[in-house]
Amino acid sequence: MEIPILQDIVVILGLSVLIILVIQKIKIPSILGFLLAGIIAGPHAFNLISNGHEVELLSEIGIIFLLFVIGIELSLKGLAAIKNTIFIGGGLQVGGTILFTTLAAQLLGLPLNTSVFLGFLFSLSSTAIVLKLFQQRGEITSPHGRISIGILIFQDIVVVPMMLLTPILAGKADNILMTVGILIGKIALVLVVILLLARYVVPKVLGWVVKTKNQELFILTVVVFCFAIAWLTSSVGLSLALGAFFAGLIISESDYSHQATANVLPFREIFISFFFISVGTLLDLGFFFDNIGYILLLVLGVVLLKMMVIGITVLILKYKPRTVFITLFSLFQVGEFSLLLSGVGLDNGLLPENIYQYFLAISILSMALTPFLIMNSSKLTYAILKAPIPSAVRHRLSNIKKNTNAEEQFSEENLSDHIVIIGYGTNGENIAKAARSADIPYVVVDIDPDSFSNAKKNKEPIVFGDATNSLILKHIHIQEARVVVIAISDAAATKKIISTIRLFTQTAFIIVRTRQVKEIEENLRVGADEVIPADFETSIEIFTRVLKKYLVPYDEIVEFTSSIRSADYEMLTRLKNKPHNPALHHLNIPNKEIATLSVQYKDKNIVGKSLEDSGMAKNYGVTVLAIKRDTKYLTEITPQTKIKRGDLIYVFGNPSNINHLNNLLTV
């Protein structure tokens, strides 16, 4: 049996693969590859798609998943923090764009109702493209990212009243007040339902699902919930995408949001490609090349007009000039909801066919420009701010009262130089206790619901998620971790986690606990630095107790266990003759180590004296590398540097010498 949509999927995705393979060689974003694939496969070129409507449906699924993931990343609290940006910033941007577009269209001789409707169309930006690029660049929570999201959310909301106003502009509406009243009532009801779900229903349901330890059930529950809320909002006249965004906000309030994002992301990446392809199919190539001069001028005009309005809007919100420019370089394009709204205008006679084709060409070209400007927004902003401008203008910009409170709300906890503990069993819990007592920053990752609940009870900084997933590792800033401890029982998962970590960082020191000695070599091969086999240590402990029962002298037992351990460490050293990165060799000098000593006791031969007078190297056989005094680090160590009580000194030397010195310096 032939399935037409399957043929279309194979054609357009196969074409996309070929195009993206080529354009990636010249560093062009993949979004443009999808647009180009749509243009080539569309009805105005080679007409390779026979079921355009089904492709549009697939593209809507992509937008649903995109907005769902963005909703999870923001959370209700994050959204509340930018309410002024949403309503004031969004209102100024949309209203200003409609006003200036109407005036410009009137000057071109277009009717008033068509001019206002074009203002509607050009006021909307592309949520799909902007948020996808921000997410790839990790800028969702940056100041310009939050401002852009706030304005985009307002645009998505205002699409509904624009659709209601379209028949009025066309002179075809009747009893609009009743229609608006009913819609407002439905929206209020949906918001109440969403708040109830977020507070009472979703956390409990996800908790029950997680306890089953069934990954497939968890994914299914998250996807069903996403589509259910999208369907609920669309049934009352709101967009599917806005419903998916609300669903993401609800999930964000649960402890399982990061794993939900990791599960949904592959679906989003596949389906969002259909959106860009479907946009490309709309372009009439014949009309485009016949009117390319006018189209390019109009694109320039629309882009500059939108940039001007966005810049004024962000300035009114009192943000830094850098944030102003990066935001206007991000939101200048025409959006996907404009394409949806233009169809309504076409049906109501507000857009003649030729104006509609101009609009499509402007939309697609502005979308195509977006990846280039967003990727280079920081460079462009730097060039503009460093450009020779009048001193009065520069002085006025520098004296703008910054919106510091709002930007502070954008910051999130940035872990760095921390310990990542993967697995909150007995070992993980003990490591967390040690880190906490030593005041070392750490974060725990575990996907086992029982361990997760135990960690939550202990008020541990834990993330529910599968550490084999790169998104979870990215969220816990694995690339900035100093040490990673993997304390799980799954040997296959352990190796995958090590390999994934090494994609992010070559400097993190990875310590692995395994069950069996035979797993040591493979874990070292994929990138672990130290592997501690549980059965090896257990066997030593058992044999130690056996020897005690035979009344073997204690000194002989210690000597025996030390020789066994040293032999094992020698084996580990041999296995590690090829480090995971030849450029990064960890310090491994026999009978030497680096240690941190706390100066608590005032030894008259050391404390208060210089390193030269105390004879630190000569008398105690250690070298002082650095000193931490209060909150400052002394790294320029000279013979005249003095040791003071309360210092933390970093020393290098023989372990026995270091231990002797430690006994002199501590109470």
Side-chain angles (χ1 to χ4, degrees):
M1 182 177 69
E2 186 177 346
I3 305 174
I5 184 61
L6 184 59
Q7 177 184 326
D8 288 343
I9 290 173
V10 171
V11 168
I12 59 181
L13 290 185
L15 184 61
S16 300
V17 168
L18 292 174
I19 293 172
I20 292 170
L21 277 174
V22 173
I23 67 173
Q24 285 289 301
K25 297 287 186 182
I26 51 177
K27 307 297 183 183
I28 294 178
S30 59
I31 288 174
L32 297 186
F34 290 124
L35 287 171
L36 185 57
I39 292 171
I40 293 171
H44 303 290
F46 293 97
N47 196 23
L48 302 177
I49 301 174
S50 57
N51 294 274
H53 178 65
E54 284 80 359
V55 174
E56 288 178 15
L57 290 178
L58 293 175
S59 71
E60 286 213 33
I61 294 173
I63 295 175
I64 286 172
F65 280 127
L66 174 68
L67 269 293
F68 179 64
V69 171
I70 298 304
I72 291 176
E73 289 195 353
L74 268 182
S75 82
L76 287 169
K77 291 179 182 177
L79 199 59
I82 59 170
K83 59 183 181 296
N84 289 338
T85 303
I86 294 173
F87 295 106
I88 298 175
L92 287 171
Q93 185 272 323
V94 170
T97 305
I98 292 172
L99 175 63
F100 287 112
T101 301
T102 301
L103 293 174
Q106 286 281 279
L107 291 175
L108 293 174
L110 295 176
L112 180 61
N113 57 353
T114 299
S115 301
V116 173
F117 186 71
L118 285 173
F120 288 177
L121 299 180
F122 292 140
S123 67
L124 306 177
S125 303
S126 177
T127 304
I129 295 177
V130 173
L131 296 191
K132 179 177 172 61
L133 291 169
F134 277 177
Q135 197 168 52
Q136 288 176 346
R137 291 164 60 84
E139 297 178 355
I140 288 290
T141 55
S142 65
H144 59 271
R146 292 294 183 107
I147 294 168
S148 299
I149 288 172
I151 293 173
L152 289 168
I153 289 169
F154 183 85
Q155 291 176 2
D156 290 348
I157 295 171
V158 85
V159 167
V160 177
M162 284 179 177
M163 286 186 173
L164 290 172
L165 289 171
T166 299
I168 297 176
L169 289 174
K172 297 180 180 180
D174 50 76
N175 207 353
I176 189 67
L177 290 177
M178 181 178 290
T179 305
V180 172
I182 293 171
L183 180 63
I184 290 172
K186 288 181 178 180
I187 293 172
L189 181 62
V190 168
L191 290 175
V192 170
V193 170
I194 287 171
L195 289 172
L196 291 174
L197 288 172
R199 181 67 63 86
Y200 302 108
V201 179
V202 172
K204 288 185 178 179
V205 172
L206 287 179
W208 296 334
V209 170
V210 165
K211 285 178 182 178
T212 66
K213 300 184 181 181
N214 188 317
Q215 187 74 357
E216 291 79 8
L217 180 60
F218 181 81
I219 297 171
L220 182 62
T221 304
V222 169
V223 172
V224 167
F225 179 73
C226 170
F227 280 91
I229 298 297
W231 169 76
L232 176 65
T233 56
S234 67
S235 65
V236 297
L238 294 170
S239 69
L240 287 167
L242 194 60
F245 178 77
F246 286 148
L249 289 176
I250 295 169
I251 293 284
S252 72
E253 298 303 303
S254 74
D255 293 322
Y256 315 109
S257 58
H258 305 300
Q259 186 60 33
T261 303
N263 290 146
V264 168
L265 213 55
F267 296 105
R268 188 205 71 176
E269 294 301 321
I270 293 171
F271 285 105
I272 198 66
S273 62
F274 287 103
F275 163 71
F276 298 116
I277 290 167
S278 66
V279 170
T281 61
L282 298 173
L283 185 65
D284 186 337
L285 289 176
F287 180 87
F288 177 81
F289 287 114
D290 288 342
N291 301 276
I292 191 168
Y294 291 119
I295 289 170
L296 292 177
L297 284 174
L298 289 170
V299 169
L300 180 62
V302 169
V303 167
L304 291 177
L305 186 149
K306 289 197 72 172
M307 283 184 172
M308 177 190 71
V309 174
I310 293 163
I312 293 171
T313 298
V314 184
L315 276 174
I316 290 173
L317 292 173
K318 298 178 181 178
Y319 283 92
K320 296 178 181 178
R322 181 179 184 276
T323 304
V324 172
F325 284 109
I326 294 180
T327 306
L328 66 85
F329 286 134
S330 302
L331 298 179
F332 65 87
Q333 72 291 123
V334 180
E336 57 274 0
F337 289 122
S338 298
L339 299 171
L340 178 65
L341 188 60
S342 66
V344 178
L346 199 63
D347 294 339
N348 283 276
L350 281 174
L351 284 182
E353 182 60 33
N354 65 326
I355 294 179
Y356 177 67
Q357 284 299 325
Y358 274 117
F359 163 75
L360 286 178
I362 293 168
S363 303
I364 292 172
L365 284 182
S366 66
M367 288 180 179
L369 281 172
T370 303
F372 295 107
L373 287 187
I374 287 182
M375 287 192 303
N376 294 287
S377 58
S378 296
K379 293 179 182 178
L380 292 170
T381 298
Y382 179 81
I384 291 170
L385 293 178
K386 291 296 180 181
I389 58 176
S391 57
V393 175
R394 186 177 294 279
H395 179 72
R396 182 164 295 182
L397 284 173
S398 63
N399 285 307
I400 292 174
K401 184 181 179 182
K402 308 294 190 301
N403 195 343
T404 53
N405 291 333
E407 293 203 12
E408 284 170 6
Q409 293 169 346
F410 297 151
S411 65
E412 60 180 9
E413 184 182 5
N414 289 317
L415 289 166
S416 63
D417 204 34
H418 56 297
I419 302 174
V420 173
I421 303 168
I422 299 172
Y424 194 73
T426 302
N427 291 297
E429 186 174 356
N430 289 333
I431 295 163
K433 287 178 182 177
R436 187 165 57 250
S437 65
D439 200 26
I440 298 172
Y442 68 97
V443 63
V444 183
V445 182
D446 205 317
I447 198 168
D448 181 77
D450 298 328
S451 300
F452 179 77
S453 299
N454 184 33
K456 293 290 286 185
K457 287 177 185 176
N458 294 338
K459 297 182 179 179
E460 298 283 12
I462 187 167
V463 171
F464 180 86
D466 183 356
T468 62
N469 190 292
S470 59
L471 189 72
I472 298 296
L473 294 177
K474 187 176 180 182
H475 175 76
I476 59 174
H477 299 261
I478 195 72
Q479 69 277 9
E480 297 176 52
R482 182 187 289 195
V483 177
V484 181
V485 179
I486 304 175
I488 60 176
S489 302
D490 189 330
T494 297
K495 289 195 284 287
K496 188 174 181 182
I497 290 168
I498 296 168
S499 300
T500 308
I501 290 172
R502 287 302 176 209
L503 296 176
F504 287 92
T505 173
Q506 293 291 330
T507 58
F509 193 85
I510 301 177
I511 303 172
V512 178
R513 189 219 67 181
T514 64
R515 285 189 171 184
Q516 300 176 356
V517 175
K518 66 181 182 181
E519 296 171 5
I520 295 175
E521 185 173 2
E522 183 63 19
N523 284 309
L524 291 172
R525 187 186 65 79
V526 295
D529 294 286
E530 296 288 350
V531 183
I532 303 171
D535 60 354
F536 179 80
E537 291 297 329
T538 302
S539 65
I540 289 178
E541 182 63 26
I542 292 171
F543 202 75
T544 299
R545 297 190 185 191
V546 170
L547 293 177
K548 285 180 180 178
K549 288 298 179 183
Y550 280 91
L551 301 178
V552 175
Y554 178 74
D555 289 346
E556 291 184 25
I557 294 174
V558 171
E559 183 180 354
F560 175 76
T561 55
S562 297
S563 66
I564 292 292
R565 284 197 173 96
S566 64
D568 177 61
Y569 295 145
E570 184 181 345
M571 178 188 72
L572 296 185
T573 305
R574 286 202 308 270
L575 290 172
K576 287 195 67 182
N577 58 359
K578 292 183 179 179
H580 50 263
N581 187 339
L584 296 166
H585 293 273
H586 295 290
L587 188 63
N588 188 20
I589 301 174
N591 299 318
K592 299 290 182 182
E593 66 177 33
I594 296 175
T596 307
L597 306 182
S598 176
V599 181
Q600 298 177 18
Y601 182 71
K602 191 171 182 179
D603 186 284
K604 61 181 181 180
N605 295 320
I606 300 174
V607 180
K609 292 189 175 182
S610 67
L611 296 178
E612 185 177 36
D613 293 339
S614 66
M616 187 71 75
K618 181 180 179 181
N619 299 331
Y620 303 102
V622 298
T623 302
V624 177
L625 303 176
I627 299 173
K628 182 183 179 184
R629 184 168 294 157
D630 298 324
T631 58
K632 296 181 179 179
Y633 285 89
L634 308 179
T635 56
E636 299 294 331
I637 304 299
T638 67
Q640 284 70 45
T641 301
K642 289 186 177 182
I643 302 293
K644 296 183 179 181
R645 189 173 182 179
D647 284 350
L648 277 178
I649 59 174
Y650 299 86
V651 298
F652 173 74
N654 183 282
S656 60
N657 291 342
I658 291 174
N659 187 52
H660 173 62
L661 180 61
N662 184 55
N663 291 334
L664 295 175
L665 296 176
T666 57
V667 178

